[in-house]
Amino acid sequence: MSLTLALDFGSTKLAAAIAHAGSQEWLGYERRLSPGNADASTDLEIMRSLLPEINFEVVPAGLGDDAPLWGQ
C-alpha cells in the first residue's frame, strides 16, 4: 500500500503528516513552531525530528540500485 508524506515548511510553523495514498485521513500528524531566527538548516533539523513522531522511517539505499529511497 502506498503512503504519502506531506511536509509543510511554513514561516511560523513546520508540519509533517503521513497518509495512505488517496486517503483523506492522516495516519500521523505533528507540528512545531518555527523559531523566529531560524534558517533553512534549523527548519530542516526540526522537520527531521518530526518524522519519527509520525512513524515515518527513512530507509537508506544506495543510488543506482532498485531499492526505494524512502520507507514507510
Side-chain angles (χ1 to χ4, degrees):
M1 180 166 292
S2 295
L3 296 174
T4 299
L5 174 66
L7 304 176
D8 180 1
F9 287 85
S11 60
T12 60
K13 69 164 177 49
L14 302 168
I18 191 167
H20 288 292
S23 174
Q24 295 183 5
E25 293 184 31
W26 297 123
L27 297 173
Y29 174 83
E30 290 292 333
R31 71 179 188 173
R32 297 286 179 273
L33 293 177
S34 182
N37 60 349
D39 58 9
S41 181
T42 301
D43 284 348
L44 187 57
E45 285 305 312
I46 293 170
M47 189 63 77
R48 285 181 180 156
S49 75
L50 295 177
L51 297 180
E53 295 182 36
I54 62 168
N55 296 319
F56 184 85
E57 180 182 343
V58 176
V59 178
L63 294 177
D65 66 11
D66 292 332
L69 293 178
W70 294 94
Q72 74 178 43

